[in-house]
Amino acid sequence: QQQVKQSPQSLIVQKGGISIINCAYENTAFDYFPWYQQFPGKGPALLIAIRPDVSEKKEGRFTISFNKSAKQFSLHIMDSQPGDSATYFCAASIGSQGNLIFGKGTKLSVKP
Amino acid sequence: KAGVTQTPRYLIKTRGQQVTLSCSPISGHRSVSWYQQTPGQGLQFLFEYFSETQRNKGNFPGRFSGRQFSNSRSEMNVSTLELGDSALYLCASSPDRGRFGYTFGSGTRLTVV
């Protein structure tokens, strides 16, 4: 019930391409879905987040697509750059509980 | 605006010892959460503090404990260290229990030998 399943585990994309990372959840009580980016030696940094009353949110090259009926959400990185190479985590939480349930992460490599 | 500060950055301890990690949240943030990150288990929630009270706890043994002070600074303690406790321990803060997102620190890398 509390799991968030993330795929793929690793992803290699050419510079300028689109990176797509998918997540699925089971608990319909989740009401906040953030994506985090983590570079080696650093803590996760909030990239973009969405709430279930919205189907899509875009911030620069990053877009979250949210499908409430399928209980899935995905991160799209447009025009991927070598500087985007990092590990990406999806997460979910119930606002009143103050904790994040994370996916296992996707290691993205963008080749020049 | 200063970010979330965790000290120390690196720590090496011997099995059986105890350790205390410190976290200073962003000024004005009242919620502090702790996470353990390992290659095998990923990011796992330890506990959350808000207004000096533990509000939520993850599935970790009682050897893991924490507290929050009146200035929102937080500490976590691990007693009787085991080799499996080697991990990156991350602190995250939020203005109000995650409603506006969590900001993470760079973590404390704990190695148990």
Side-chain angles (χ1 to χ4, degrees), chain A:
Chain A
Q1 270 282 322
Q2 289 291 314
Q3 275 189 326
V4 175
K5 295 183 179 179
Q6 183 172 348
S7 63
Q9 195 172 1
S10 62
L11 183 61
I12 299 174
V13 173
Q14 290 296 125
K15 179 183 175 182
I18 302 173
S19 304
I20 301 174
I21 305 171
N22 301 298
C23 284
Y25 64 96
E26 296 180 358
N27 190 343
T28 55
F30 286 142
D31 60 0
Y32 177 68
F33 301 89
W35 284 90
Y36 281 84
Q37 178 190 57
Q38 186 176 29
F39 292 104
K42 300 289 187 182
L46 180 62
L47 203 55
I48 187 172
I50 199 168
R51 298 197 181 271
D53 53 345
V54 175
S55 61
E56 185 174 282
K57 183 175 181 180
K58 184 176 180 179
E59 288 184 3
R61 296 185 294 110
F62 301 92
T63 300
I64 298 180
S65 296
F66 186 83
N67 186 330
K68 189 174 180 179
S69 60
K71 292 187 283 187
Q72 294 176 347
F73 58 110
S74 60
L75 176 69
H76 291 64
I77 306 174
M78 312 300 286
D79 187 26
S80 299
Q81 300 296 312
D84 296 331
S85 297
T87 300
Y88 292 81
F89 294 92
C90 62
S93 69
I94 302 170
S96 62
Q97 293 187 2
N99 66 300
L100 292 164
I101 309 298
F102 282 91
K104 291 293 189 183
T106 296
K107 187 172 183 180
L108 171 66
S109 295
V110 181
K111 300 299 183 185

Side-chain angles (χ1 to χ4, degrees), chain B residues 8-108:
Chain B
R9 287 297 311 276
Y10 302 93
L11 208 48
I12 299 175
K13 288 287 187 179
T14 302
R15 193 170 42 179
Q17 287 186 313
Q18 74 165 17
V19 66
T20 299
L21 312 181
S22 180
C23 172
S24 293
I26 291 173
S27 178
H29 284 197
R30 297 187 296 161
S31 172
V32 173
S33 298
W34 289 88
Y35 292 81
Q36 181 195 66
Q37 186 174 26
T38 59
Q41 297 300 315
L43 282 151
Q44 293 187 287
F45 170 75
L46 279 156
F47 28 65
E48 180 221 0
Y49 287 88
F50 182 78
S51 295
E52 301 178 65
T53 302
Q54 187 180 95
R55 303 293 178 142
N56 204 352
K57 190 177 190 304
N59 189 25
F60 278 84
R63 301 185 296 107
F64 292 80
S65 63
R67 59 177 175 169
Q68 186 181 34
F69 303 95
S70 59
N71 61 358
S72 293
R73 191 177 70 84
S74 178
E75 289 181 347
M76 69 163 280
N77 183 276
V78 188
S79 62
T80 319
L81 284 166
E82 300 177 359
L83 296 178
D85 297 333
S86 295
L88 180 67
Y89 289 89
L90 292 158
C91 168
S93 74
S94 176
D96 186 13
R97 300 201 72 194
R99 198 170 300 168
F100 303 103
Y102 281 97
T103 302
F104 281 80
S106 292
T108 294

